[in-house]
Amino acid sequence: MIELKNVSKKYGETIAVNQVSFEVKEKENLVLLGTSGCGKTTTLKMINRLINPDEGEIILNGQNIINQNTEILRKGIGYVMQNIGLFPHYTVEENIAIVPKLLKWDKKKIQDRVYELTEKLHLPTNSLKLFPNELSGGQQQRVGLARALVSDPAVLLMDEPFGALDNVTRTSIRKEFKDLEELKRKTMVMVTHDVEEAFELADRICLMDKGNIMQIGTPKELLFNPANDFAKTFLDGQRLALEFKIVTIEDIWEMLPNAMHTTKSLSANVSVWDAMEKLRSTQATELQFSNKTQQYKSASFDELIKAFNQYKNFTKHE
Amino acid sequence: MNEQQTLWQFMSMESDKLLSQTVQHIGLTFISLLFAIAIGLPLGILIARRRKLSGIILGVAGVLQTVPSIALLGFMIPILGIGAKPAIVALLIYALLPIIRNTYTGIIGIDKHIIEAAKAMGMSKSQILFKVEIPLAMPVLLAGIRTATVINVGVATLASYIAAGGLGEFIFGGISLNNTNMILAGAIPAALLAILLDGLLALTQKLDFKKLKKVLIFSSVFLIFLTAFYVLPSAYGSGLKAGFTPEFMGRQDGDLGLKSAYGLKIKTVVISDAVMYKAAFSKELDVISGYSTDGRLKAFGLKILKDDKGIFPPYYAAPIVNQASLSKFPELEDVLNLLAGRITDSVMTDLNYRTDYLHQTPEKVARDFLVKVGLYKSPKGGAGETIKIGSKIFGEQYILAEIYSMLIKGNTNYQVETKTGLGGTKICFDALVNNQIDFYPEYTGTGLLAILKPDNKIVSQISHNKDETYRYVSDEFSKKYKIKWLKPIGFNNSYALMMRQKQSSEIDVNTITDLKNYLDKN
């Protein structure tokens, strides 16, 4: 769907992006992860030509973007940014309707779509007539997302979409975001410096440093098979928590004791972390799980930890 | 003094003029503002796009802003002549800086993320400009237009110098004629106009963008309507055209006398003395109200029309001195009287010609003259008290002030400070009464008609005889103001109507009566 081939960008003597190549498949969410100044935002902005690359090619839907009309290209790509960039002189409704108006949709269609999105994004309907500065930060970010999604573009680019929010709001919006049907059909490239966020949302992560790609792979690959010292040390601070969150019950299925069929069982898709949270919050001694093939397992806290450790040793020696 | 008019009486008496001047003033202000917006807005947008140009363009607009308004109007005359065109251009230049600068600041002040969002959504450059940048820059932009409007209302008063009309006609006429009511009749409406427009624009700044859009559309229609007011009446036909100074317009021995004594009806514009002769020379005007000793008479080939009914009283020049100064500087009177009777009409015209046309400095002209008549003495370099000499704002007075200054320095130990260019009669005379200056050269006719303003009876009795006029002003000044008229210098710089020599012989007009008859026939 999106392919970058040896893309480079220089600012004077500084190389912002150096020979970057990757591919994003349809409906995949690729997260560009790195510290500030690593070139992740520059890479993202080259995809909708907010920045033009000095070298290399960017192919979107099999077409080199350099050969497309910039304005038409951009109307087909949703863009969400940290500073949101809502128009302060437009109401919420007008802000969301910008792209459809540019595309000359008829009034009724625009209005229906705006209402549909307001509902999906849990925006209060009375907020449509308000101006952006009358909304909370979280609501503004939802409007920003609605604006990007309104014309249902196949591709969505997101530059630190939750960066401007406080921690509590960020976590809750991220959860909603993950569950949003509308987003599951999108091919997404997202930029973040937040490791936890990257691991939670990414299908694959592209770890960058000083304009170079250090490693590109699934969260599991980054955790258990770091390609180099940089990739290893980058995650070190949060490694344990990330591992618990990334590994699911499904992954450690073989290492768990069998159980009888029970009605009260959790899906095997949950992470080890979520399972332990559940045990702690319900004060239960054991949890039951069921997988897709209708098999049942149960585990206590200790059994979970034991199975997890076995899994880790196994993947490392793989 | 019992005939003293109130301001209100003056304004209601002159209400026709007041109305037409106000309309001209509004027209001038807005037509120039419209042009300034049409030029300033795109320039502001341009430099917001290409920041490198901003230094140059803001610099140039800033420099233009610092050019004194009178000088700017002066520069315009050779290029654009007199009347509305140069006035509009000059006003436009003054309005440019605030409009360019505020457009620029308004646009570059917009949060860059908003612009990035607009780009990323696929808006074109013009869509970004009209839907995002201009609306968001609007409050700042309007503040610039507001500043420009207030500046323009003020500067537009100067348009009367170059026959473009406006409330300046009353203001400058009033200053020349020592008529406070006339000054206020121009100044108060001008100030009210500035306050009113400023207030209206302040209101629009508070509106949100949607309402503002409607207001803007409405007000631009309104603006065009207003400017039409100014443009339409100025499209007048052919025929002879006169240019009179604001002072001449309001005087019994000026326009009023021409109307009553001769019944002269001529299309008239008000114009400053400084540009009048040139305008006559370049055929922008046909008849002007000049001074009989003016050097430009000689320079521009103009001819005086004979005042066959004798409405212009004698204007013999003499220094007038505050009596307090005479006792403070005992030698002063004798020194000033050295010049008595030494300068005749033709000598004065020649001296004026040297400064006005040959562009010699008043100082050189004064010195050459004194050397020639044997009165020149090199300065003693004395360290006595300082005498302050005043002069009105035209060439002849500069030369006289220089001559007196040299005489005082050469013959006494006093030091001299010249305060040249004290505007019109009123400013000079007030300065003298209030001891800001010690003396200045005044004319008997001016003393009589502009300062003393006696009954018409007395005027008609004495104003045909130069000695009687001198005696009368001399006595009255000493009684009323404790100011002494010293001996006359010799020349008579009276008012005169003049035309181009060539035109005068072509249409065979040699006297004012001839002119009247010519006008009645055509």
Side-chain angles (χ1 to χ4, degrees), chain A residues 45 74 79 81 89 94, chain B residues 113 116 119 122 131 210:
Chain A
K45 286 183 180 175
R74 286 174 184 160
Y79 185 70
M81 56 204 251
H89 57 305
E94 289 165 331
Chain B
H113 298 107
E116 187 182 294
K119 270 192 205 164
K131 294 190 172 176
K210 298 239 169 60

Side-chain angles (χ1 to χ4, degrees), chain B residues 140-393:
Chain B
V140 186
L141 215 158
L142 277 177
I145 293 178
R146 197 174 146 192
T147 315
T149 311
V150 175
I151 292 176
N152 268 9
V153 172
V155 181
T157 55
L158 296 173
S160 64
Y161 270 117
I162 51 168
L167 290 162
E169 286 186 9
F170 272 158
I171 297 175
F172 294 106
I175 292 175
S176 315
L177 292 168
N178 190 12
N179 184 337
T180 313
N181 285 337
M182 196 188 250
I183 300 176
L184 290 177
I188 292 174
L192 288 178
L193 201 58
I195 294 170
L196 180 76
L197 294 175
D198 188 55
L200 282 179
L201 283 164
L203 281 182
T204 60
Q205 272 179 287
K206 290 194 188 119
L207 295 175
D208 69 62
F209 183 65
K210 298 239 169 60
K211 283 185 200 142
L212 190 63
K213 229 175 177 172
K214 284 178 202 153
V215 171
L216 283 182
I217 293 167
F218 172 76
S219 54
S220 37
V221 173
F222 185 62
L223 273 184
I224 291 164
F225 179 70
L226 276 183
T227 49
F229 255 125
Y230 182 74
V231 177
L232 293 180
S234 68
Y236 31 62
S238 58
L240 292 187
K241 193 159 137 193
F244 296 157
T245 61
E247 181 166 5
F248 189 82
M249 286 298 287
R251 292 178 76 131
Q252 195 53 48
D253 61 327
D255 191 48
L256 302 176
L258 284 176
K259 283 200 178 100
S260 59
Y262 286 96
L264 188 73
K265 287 187 209 96
I266 187 164
K267 218 171 302 155
T268 309
V269 294
V270 178
I271 188 166
S272 119
D273 165 75
V275 299
M276 185 170 62
Y277 296 87
K278 188 104 190 240
F281 174 68
S282 57
K283 300 184 183 169
E284 307 247 13
L285 297 172
D286 303 300
V287 180
I288 60 169
S289 62
Y291 295 100
S292 54
T293 57
D294 200 294
R296 287 167 292 189
L297 200 61
K298 189 172 166 186
F300 291 132
L302 302 176
K303 178 184 172 169
I304 294 178
L305 300 183
K306 191 161 183 279
D307 175 21
D308 46 337
K309 292 195 179 166
I311 60 157
F312 299 133
Y315 278 72
Y316 283 90
I320 61 173
V321 197
N322 197 312
Q323 270 166 0
S325 307
L326 283 177
S327 32
K328 189 173 167 195
F329 306 104
E331 295 166 57
L332 182 61
E333 183 166 357
D334 288 341
V335 175
L336 297 184
N337 278 337
L338 284 175
L339 203 61
R342 299 300 289 258
I343 304 181
T344 62
D345 283 8
S346 58
V347 172
M348 196 64 237
T349 308
D350 181 56
L351 297 184
N352 283 330
Y353 174 72
R354 287 164 189 260
T355 51
D356 294 339
Y357 195 68
L358 302 179
H359 301 302
Q360 297 176 350
T361 61
E363 198 187 345
K364 178 176 161 42
V365 174
R367 195 185 148 113
D368 288 352
F369 166 76
L370 286 176
V371 170
K372 200 173 152 197
V373 297
L375 282 174
Y376 186 76
K377 284 183 188 164
S378 41
K380 284 186 170 179
E385 289 198 76
T386 303
I387 296 176
K388 285 177 240 140
I389 310 177
S391 92
K392 298 185 200 177
I393 193 158

Side-chain angles (χ1 to χ4, degrees), chain A residues 45 48 50 71 74-75 77 79 81 83-90 94 98-99 102 147, chain B residues 111-125 127 131-132 135-136 209-210:
Chain A
K45 286 183 180 175
N48 64 357
L50 284 175
E71 283 141 29
R74 286 174 184 160
K75 280 174 208 159
I77 301 177
Y79 185 70
M81 56 204 251
N83 302 76
I84 313 173
L86 296 177
F87 292 177
H89 57 305
Y90 277 27
E94 289 165 331
I98 292 170
V99 178
L102 293 178
R147 184 177 67 177
Chain B
D111 183 352
K112 66 180 196 311
H113 298 107
I114 293 171
I115 305 296
E116 187 182 294
K119 270 192 205 164
M121 280 185 287
M123 291 177 107
S124 67
K125 274 186 182 161
Q127 284 169 332
K131 294 190 172 176
V132 184
L136 289 178
F209 183 65
K210 298 239 169 60

